[in-house]
Amino acid sequence: MSNIKQQVISGMKWSASAKLFTQVFSWISTFYVIRLLTPEDYGLVALATVFFTLITLVTNNGIINAIVQKKITDSERRSALFTVSLGMNALLSAAMIGAAEPIASYYENVEIVPVLLFLGVINPLMSLSVIPQAALQTEMRFKARAIVETAAGFIAALVAFTLAHMGFGVWALLISSAAMMTIRIIGLHIAAGATYRCTLNFNGIGNSLKYALQAQLGGIMWFVYNRADTVIIAKGLGVDRAGIYNVASEIASIPMTKINAIINEVAFSAFSKTNDDHNAMVYYLGYALRVMSIFTFPVFAGLSVISEPLVITVLGEKWREASAVILILAWVFPLRMQATVLGNFIMAKGDAKFSLVNAAITCTILLSSITVGVQFGIYGAAYAWVIGFSLAYLCIVLRASRRYNLPIKTFTQWVPVAGVSVVMWCGVYAMQSWLTSAYSIAPWLELAISVITGAIIAGPVLLKLYWKDIKGVVKAH
């Protein structure tokens, strides 16, 4: 058990360290691009990306999970699964290209057509990453994966920054995404050294495809409730309002997006390695939830309370409205990350059907709440997300506890950290209120003082309560 634990911690540390270097520059370039865009421009890209990401989920993610969970290492079955992925990707990308004009007509915005055409052309390339990515995850070679992701992210950020400076607008984001995809595919092939080809021999992949299909259906539902707000807001309130909401959601989700990528990569592989030992899996589930909560609750609470000076400093005055959305949404992301870990636990159990039902429950609750919330504008949609997902997460925890005989305390270890985070939020907010009423200071200075204040309030308490866990993560190699 200790060996797997070290691999988990080391894998998370390698992935996090490598990605941190890249993301600092990536965030700078992305924020620079957003400063140059209008809310309508960003809403356009966000809406088009919905369709691009949906195809990737359908054609790639389930197959990768199947290869890892079923421990498929022979080139024959890997080749067959790659061929399935590529075929579906090509068909769905062609469908997206064909639907470009009807989509533009539905949203009354013809500018989305060339964006959809571009994404439809490059999307089939994503299938080339399926086998090498699955191979690295199966072998838990997180260091190699982290190096590839770092190089691809750095080059993409550089491309985005350069093209934005040259006046490419929304195309700076699109071309940089294509650059990242290309570099990532090349790097994964070099790192993994996995061999595969197109084939018409599909013998022996029936069970894997069944598992992949169930995983993909769950992934589609996950995607629907994660991106439904974009689609609903764009239609009900306009593309420009969707742009403001999505910029806020992007900023609020930055820590979750980056850490979830590590969790999905490391936790699923670790759970799959020990899926024949229930007690070990339960131990790692509790450990992962506890350690993650130590970092996520303070980070997202801090992001919530500094949202206004952060947005004005980084993006400019025209994006001020996004700060209130960040303030609301940031509170739900720690629970979303807890749900990600639990989802990996369930999928590693091979219980894709149970996971699918969980996704259906979440999807139903969130679609209902967002549909109601959007009637009250983008702030209403944000509140609907927080309330709806909290209810869905409670349902999933109760169902998982009964099915796998998991103690409820496994899912409540975050309560003390959440309490500290609330106290920190209140303290920083009180300081901001006094500071802005007594003095006229620049937003960047208010931001800096707020961050320092939050660290002073929460830091010593968290170190006192969780020093052993923090030390274990920092010292892992």
Side-chain angles (χ1 to χ4, degrees):
M1 182 182 292
S2 61
N3 183 48
I4 297 293
K5 178 179 177 180
Q6 287 300 314
Q7 285 182 292
V8 171
I9 298 175
S10 181
M12 293 182 71
K13 184 177 179 181
W14 255 109
S15 297
S17 299
K19 289 182 179 181
L20 178 61
F21 171 77
T22 305
Q23 289 308 319
V24 170
F25 186 74
S26 177
W27 292 334
I28 293 173
S29 65
T30 300
F31 293 150
Y32 179 74
V33 174
I34 293 175
R35 287 183 72 97
L36 301 178
L37 299 178
T38 65
E40 185 173 2
D41 286 336
Y42 199 84
L44 191 70
V45 174
L47 184 59
T49 304
V50 168
F51 303 99
F52 176 86
T53 308
L54 177 59
I55 293 175
T56 301
L57 278 173
V58 171
T59 60
N60 290 12
N61 290 17
I63 291 178
I64 292 173
N65 284 342
I67 294 172
V68 175
Q69 203 276 336
K70 302 295 183 183
K71 301 179 178 67
I72 297 173
T73 57
D74 58 284
S75 61
E76 289 79 11
R77 286 187 295 169
R78 284 183 172 182
S79 295
L81 290 169
F82 162 72
T83 304
V84 171
S85 172
L86 182 61
M88 290 193 303
N89 212 325
L91 287 173
L92 292 175
S93 295
M96 183 172 73
I97 292 173
E101 291 191 4
I103 291 172
S105 177
Y106 180 76
Y107 286 101
E108 300 178 354
N109 195 315
V110 296
E111 294 181 10
I112 198 173
V113 173
V115 177
L116 288 173
L117 295 179
F118 176 81
L119 293 177
V121 169
I122 68 171
N123 201 49
L125 295 175
M126 289 293 292
S127 291
L128 296 174
S129 67
V130 169
I131 302 304
Q133 180 176 332
L136 291 176
Q137 284 186 221
T138 301
E139 298 165 11
M140 299 187 75
R141 294 171 56 194
F142 304 118
K143 178 179 178 179
R145 171 83 182 274
I147 292 172
V148 171
E149 300 284 2
T150 298
F154 183 81
I155 292 173
L158 186 62
V159 169
F161 188 89
T162 302
L163 294 182
H165 187 70
M166 294 172 62
F168 276 67
V170 296
W171 289 96
L173 292 175
L174 296 171
I175 296 173
S176 69
S177 296
M180 182 173 184
M181 180 193 305
T182 303
I183 300 300
R184 182 173 178 271
I185 289 170
I186 294 172
L188 287 174
H189 279 82
I190 295 173
T195 58
Y196 63 95
R197 66 188 188 283
C198 286
T199 181
L200 295 179
N201 180 12
F202 300 106
N203 293 329
I205 64 169
N207 289 335
S208 299
L209 281 179
K210 182 180 178 180
Y211 177 87
L213 177 61
Q214 291 177 327
Q216 286 168 338
L217 288 174
I220 291 171
M221 290 186 184
W222 173 89
F223 173 80
V224 168
Y225 70 70
N226 270 278
R227 304 301 293 181
D229 46 8
T230 298
V231 176
I232 295 172
I233 291 172
K235 180 59 179 176
L237 303 177
V239 175
D240 59 330
R241 307 302 293 169
I244 293 173
Y245 182 91
N246 271 274
V247 164
S249 182
E250 287 282 334
I251 294 175
S253 66
I254 281 175
M256 186 194 75
T257 302
K258 306 312 172 185
I259 297 174
N260 264 4
I262 300 170
I263 293 171
N264 286 328
E265 172 186 328
V266 178
F268 180 70
S269 300
F271 287 140
S272 295
K273 282 275 188 179
T274 58
N275 61 7
D276 57 346
D277 186 343
H278 178 73
N279 290 333
M281 291 186 71
V282 173
Y283 169 79
Y284 291 127
L285 174 63
Y287 177 79
L289 292 175
R290 182 177 70 254
V291 171
M292 187 173 60
S293 69
I294 297 171
F295 299 96
T296 56
F297 277 93
V299 167
F300 283 106
L303 183 60
S304 171
V305 76
I306 66 170
S307 59
E308 185 170 339
L310 175 66
V311 167
I312 296 174
T313 300
V314 173
L315 302 181
E317 185 66 34
K318 68 180 177 181
W319 293 101
R320 177 189 285 267
E321 199 172 358
S323 63
V325 179
I326 297 173
L327 184 147
I328 299 166
L329 285 179
W331 285 103
V332 78
F333 284 111
L335 292 184
R336 290 179 64 179
M337 295 177 71
Q338 299 261 323
T340 298
V341 174
L342 179 57
N344 277 287
F345 174 89
I346 294 169
M347 292 303 294
K349 282 281 190 182
D351 208 348
K353 185 177 180 180
F354 184 74
S355 180
L356 180 61
V357 174
N358 287 339
I361 292 172
T362 306
C363 193
T364 301
I365 294 175
L366 273 173
L367 282 177
S368 301
S369 61
I370 292 171
T371 301
V372 174
V374 78
Q375 307 303 316
F376 302 92
I378 56 176
Y379 302 143
Y383 278 117
W385 231 113
V386 173
I387 295 171
F389 188 84
S390 298
L391 291 174
Y393 180 66
L394 177 61
C395 292
I396 292 171
V397 165
L398 293 176
R399 294 185 76 242
S401 297
R402 289 195 299 268
R403 188 175 185 87
Y404 303 112
N405 194 29
L406 301 173
I408 290 296
K409 67 179 181 179
T410 302
F411 303 101
T412 58
Q413 298 178 83
W414 54 266
V415 173
V417 187
V420 173
S421 300
V422 170
V423 171
M424 178 195 71
W425 192 97
C426 293
V428 174
Y429 182 79
M431 181 279 302
Q432 289 175 334
S433 299
W434 170 78
L435 194 64
T436 54
S437 63
Y439 304 97
S440 178
I441 63 172
W444 67 265
L445 183 56
E446 180 186 352
L447 175 63
I449 295 173
S450 298
V451 171
I452 294 171
T453 302
I456 292 173
I457 295 173
V461 180
L462 293 175
L463 287 174
K464 176 68 175 179
L465 294 176
Y466 299 102
W467 172 245
K468 184 178 179 180
D469 289 318
I470 295 172
K471 184 179 179 181
V473 172
V474 171
K475 285 193 172 183
H477 295 286

